[in-house]
Amino acid sequence: MQKCIEPTCGLEYPISDIRIECDRGHLLDIKYKTTPSTSLKDVFYKRRNHSNNIFNESGVWRFRELLNFCQIDNENFEECSKYLVSLDGSEGRLSKPYHMSKVSDYVGLKNLWLQPEGYNPSGSFKDNGMSTAVTHAKLVNIKKIICASTGNTSASAAMYAANENIECDVYIPAGEVAPGKLSQAFQFGAQVIEIKGNFDDALSVSLQKANEVGGYTVNSVNPFRIEGQKTIVFRALEYLDWNPPDWIVYPGGALGNTSSCGKSLIELYQWKWIKKIPRIAVVNSEGANTLYTLYNGKFEDTKLRWNKGKPDVEIIKRYYTYMDKNGIKPKTKATAIQIAKPANILKGLRALEFTNGVVTQVSDQEMMDGMALVGLNGFDCEMASGAVPAGVKKLIAEEIIKKDDVVVGILTGRQKDASISVDYHKNPQNKFANPPRT
Ligand code: F0G
């Protein structure tokens, strides 16, 4: 019942009543008829709490046998687990495919699943791979980790470093990082080094510094990052009873995600865990579209391919020189993927070849509409993740994705620049604007 908190009054009302006070104007409490048995303590603790082991709670480490570079032996788990890095079992715990009806309706696809990786402890998919990279750093006794970042990598690296008491240096393009991401690096005690230039410049400085000072690089060029990010695919497939979808869709930046998706599918196929190979679709921003350009033959009329391990690396070099000479810089409001020289391009090509993948591109406006649409389902994502619904819509319009295909899209990160969504909604010209009233 609802009951007045005033002892001398004590008026009672049924649960079905809608009220905020009793008839005499006092506040109300909710009162229960039954006294819960103390035996429930056990039920909560034992049965509803993933067997009290943070590594079983973690959406990364519960798949530990499939990324067992620490040679964890479950018989001797206590001893082996001392190297495992986890933020209290929270990485990957809340992310699995979810059916967002409004996004589905808008893109015109019944079987669309979106996986909100923004619901990781640092707010992006990076935690999947950072927990494993920092595990390796611990295994080899590293005291300082280093990365370049458009913001999310640095937030994740700084978070795990703080929790593990390891030093962390982050190199970021000055003025090009969302405030929420920058604030995390500061908060978690990392040393922030601002670089005049873009992410590609910051990465080359950070790699050089890592060599000089003996720091351990945790960007996605680190192969242990890729191992952890495989669990994004494991969670998606597990949810679908290991029946692979037709497509897995990612935004494309440095292509760590594309690489890890490819590696996980190659392995699962070799192990005969799956019979069908989903196709990967990578969605570039129009303003940072190196993979789109090279993969689709928009430069020198040649379609760049992995080519069974013999890719034409010279064309990549020529394209980078061409960009440098002509002052072509990556430019998009989706700063997370404002990257012109994807460090994992070769692994990305390998993934695309194995999965018969495609690469498309979308505009800033399309990404913002995608971001707003995800919001209409009660989920939060950043603009770079909005590339996923936008890319799916485009690929359906081009009849590359068919209307009855099963598609899993990865929403890579949470909104960490509130001004992007606030400005979007205040402008009634925008497709999904939700402007305020006075
Ligand atoms: N989405 C978000 C939210 C990202 O932060 C990034 C990359 C990507 C997509 C692209 O993923 O590199 O695997 O292709 N952010 C990096 C960073 C570069 O420094 O935080 P990718």
Side-chain angles (χ1 to χ4, degrees):
M1 70 184 81
Q2 310 186 60
K3 186 171 170 67
C4 172
I5 64 165
E6 176 66 49
T8 56
C9 174
L11 284 169
E12 292 173 359
Y13 303 94
I15 286 295
S16 54
D17 268 22
I18 303 167
R19 47 170 63 244
I20 52 170
E21 55 186 26
C22 78
D23 287 341
R24 301 194 186 104
H26 307 131
L27 289 174
L28 298 166
D29 263 342
I30 305 302
K31 290 278 180 202
Y32 299 94
K33 252 192 232 150
T34 52
T35 305
S37 155
T38 52
S39 66
L40 276 171
K41 287 180 184 173
D42 257 11
V43 174
F44 297 159
Y45 192 63
K46 295 221 179 80
R47 275 207 267 130
R48 298 191 186 161
N49 203 7
H50 285 275
S51 58
N52 313 314
N53 174 338
I54 62 163
F55 303 109
N56 292 348
E57 285 180 57
S58 163
V60 172
W61 293 117
R62 69 189 175 83
F63 294 106
R64 52 190 173 267
E65 285 84 352
L66 310 188
L67 37 126
N68 201 0
F69 60 85
C70 283
Q71 303 188 25
I72 303 158
D73 167 7
N74 279 322
E75 300 288 302
N76 192 11
F77 187 67
E78 199 94 326
E79 170 63 16
C80 302
S81 66
K82 68 176 184 247
Y83 294 112
L84 302 189
V85 168
S86 173
L87 200 92
D88 205 12
S90 59
E91 53 284 322
R93 194 164 57 195
L94 296 180
S95 88
K96 55 182 169 51
Y98 191 83
H99 180 67
M100 301 189 191
S101 56
K102 286 177 193 153
V103 186
S104 263
D105 290 349
Y106 177 69
V107 303
L109 193 67
K110 205 165 60 269
N111 295 311
L112 174 65
W113 301 93
L114 295 170
Q115 184 160 315
E117 291 294 328
Y119 290 25
N120 267 292
S122 84
S124 83
F125 73 93
K126 306 285 177 179
D127 299 339
N128 292 286
M130 200 58 72
S131 56
T132 51
V134 180
T135 292
H136 182 248
K138 237 172 113 175
L139 198 66
V140 295
N141 206 17
I142 290 291
K143 302 283 179 264
K144 186 201 273 279
I145 61 172
I146 292 186
C147 66
S149 184
T150 57
N152 279 326
T153 297
S154 50
S156 180
M159 177 185 81
Y160 283 108
N163 199 242
E164 293 290 337
N165 206 15
I166 297 175
E167 278 181 56
C168 178
D169 287 356
V170 305
Y171 292 77
I172 58 157
E176 301 284 343
V177 170
K181 300 176 185 176
L182 192 56
S183 115
Q184 287 176 295
F186 290 136
Q187 271 291 103
F188 300 144
Q191 177 61 61
V192 174
I193 300 114
E194 295 188 313
I195 297 293
K196 283 191 194 124
N198 55 37
F199 168 81
D200 305 301
D201 303 319
L203 182 60
S204 74
V205 178
S206 85
L207 292 173
Q208 190 189 322
K209 289 285 173 193
N211 255 338
E212 281 168 27
V213 303
Y216 178 96
T217 294
V218 293
N219 280 99
S220 54
V221 285
N222 177 326
F224 294 95
R225 269 277 307 274
I226 302 299
E227 287 309 288
Q229 283 176 211
K230 292 191 309 190
T231 64
I232 295 172
V233 180
F234 297 157
R235 291 194 296 276
L237 290 179
E238 179 184 61
Y239 188 81
L240 300 172
D241 275 335
W242 300 95
N243 293 317
D246 296 294
W247 294 91
I248 302 182
V249 188
Y250 289 97
L255 304 178
N257 261 329
T258 311
S259 304
S260 57
C261 181
K263 185 164 187 283
S264 65
L265 295 174
I266 290 170
E267 290 173 347
L268 290 171
Y269 191 74
Q270 279 173 352
W271 302 335
K272 300 191 167 48
W273 281 43
I274 56 171
K275 289 206 179 66
K276 180 175 122 183
I277 304 167
R279 299 177 72 184
I280 296 179
V282 181
V283 188
N284 266 166
S285 153
E286 283 175 359
N289 62 355
T290 297
L291 183 68
Y292 172 83
T293 304
L294 293 175
Y295 194 75
N296 295 311
K298 308 280 178 193
F299 179 69
E300 294 184 356
D301 279 336
T302 309
K303 291 184 174 173
L304 176 63
R305 290 291 182 272
W306 171 242
N307 195 20
K308 298 194 174 116
K310 293 194 172 50
D312 180 0
V313 285
E314 293 307 315
I315 198 175
I316 305 176
K317 286 187 196 151
R318 286 198 297 278
Y319 184 61
Y320 289 1
T321 311
Y322 160 82
M323 284 193 292
D324 290 342
K325 271 202 183 137
N326 292 285
I328 299 171
K329 305 264 186 233
K331 194 70 206 148
T332 166
K333 249 171 105 73
T335 52
I337 52 173
Q338 188 167 261
I339 295 171
K341 298 176 181 170
N344 286 299
I345 190 162
L346 297 182
K347 283 186 180 175
L349 290 171
R350 181 177 66 178
L352 288 166
E353 183 159 290
F354 181 72
T355 65
N356 187 22
V358 301
V359 184
T360 189
Q361 62 172 358
V362 293
S363 67
D364 277 9
Q365 186 63 46
E366 289 170 310
M367 279 188 273
M368 282 192 284
D369 290 339
M371 172 196 81
L373 192 57
V374 168
L376 287 175
N377 264 102
F379 281 81
D380 180 37
C381 76
E382 70 166 80
M383 195 174 150
S385 311
V388 168
V392 170
K393 187 166 169 55
K394 189 159 263 182
L395 290 168
I396 291 174
E398 291 168 359
E399 294 182 7
I400 295 172
I401 295 182
K402 305 285 185 284
K403 288 201 172 221
D404 52 6
D405 281 351
V406 178
V407 178
V408 173
I410 310 300
L411 300 175
T412 44
R414 275 196 97 126
Q415 182 60 272
K416 298 185 189 176
D417 183 350
S419 71
I420 291 188
S421 35
V422 170
D423 291 348
Y424 179 92
H425 287 292
K426 281 187 166 175
N427 179 356
Q429 306 293 320
N430 286 322
K431 195 173 276 163
F432 301 107
N434 181 19
R437 279 200 315 230
T438 320

